[in-house]
Amino acid sequence: MPEYNEFEPGYYERQPMEMTITTPSLLFPAISLLLLAYTNRFVTLASVIRQLSKLDDPGSDDIVRRQISNLRSRLQIIRAMQVFGVVAFLLCTLSMFSLFLSWIMLGHGLFGASLVSLAVSLMFSLYEVQISTHAINIEIERLDR
């Protein structure tokens, strides 16, 4: 294998990616914290739904209908966030197992798929924050009345 100079153009493009079992394990705390945050969002949303179901103000029917639609969307998005987060965790674990068995290419592929799944989960999270903001605006509208 020829020696490459670090300052030579294209040096970093030619270097193979070295990945040990510790590389995917670095994601474990991050994914665990994300799943905890997602679960907290779900529990909070369930609490809001319970409070909304106790509301008996006939003047707020329109707002309640809009909130229900918003809450349904948010529940579906939170479920997708959790699913992709769990898939990322599972793929990360399988990546570590593959690297443990010295199946390097499979380990790389599974780790890449884990990163993609984590990115999708985060995108759903960002979208849910947008919808959550809309829900707060609906509630502010109710307070303005």
Side-chain angles (χ1 to χ4, degrees):
M1 180 174 222
E3 291 288 323
Y4 293 106
N5 181 348
E6 177 178 359
F7 300 105
E8 184 179 326
Y11 169 78
Y12 293 102
E13 295 169 11
R14 288 186 235 130
Q15 298 302 311
M17 184 176 94
E18 268 191 47
M19 189 165 81
T20 65
I21 198 168
T22 58
T23 304
S25 69
L26 293 173
L27 281 184
F28 269 58
I31 295 173
S32 297
L33 287 174
L34 268 178
L35 290 175
L36 182 62
Y38 293 169
T39 301
N40 285 341
R41 290 197 72 82
F42 180 80
V43 168
T44 301
L45 193 59
S47 173
V48 167
I49 292 170
R50 286 186 190 98
Q51 287 175 3
L52 197 57
S53 70
K54 293 177 185 175
L55 188 63
D56 273 342
D57 183 12
S60 62
D61 284 345
D62 177 53
I63 290 176
V64 169
R65 258 186 259 113
R66 288 170 46 204
Q67 286 286 27
I68 289 171
S69 171
N70 187 294
L71 292 168
R72 278 194 180 114
S73 297
R74 289 175 62 195
L75 277 173
Q76 291 172 347
I77 293 167
I78 289 173
R79 182 180 60 204
M81 288 163 38
Q82 290 175 325
V83 165
F84 280 100
V86 168
V87 168
F89 206 7
L90 180 62
L91 290 171
C92 199
T93 303
L94 291 174
S95 171
M96 288 175 57
F97 187 65
S98 297
L99 293 170
F100 174 74
L101 295 176
S102 297
W103 298 341
I104 305 302
M105 291 304 290
L106 180 61
H108 284 197
L110 289 169
F111 183 66
S114 174
L115 291 175
V116 169
S117 182
L118 184 58
V120 170
S121 177
L122 290 170
M123 293 303 291
F124 273 117
S125 178
L126 182 63
Y127 184 52
E128 197 273 334
V129 167
Q130 295 297 321
I131 291 176
S132 177
T133 303
H134 180 68
I136 292 170
N137 284 330
I138 292 172
E139 194 61 29
I140 290 172
E141 187 179 308
R142 184 179 70 83
L143 293 174
D144 274 346
R145 289 185 179 180

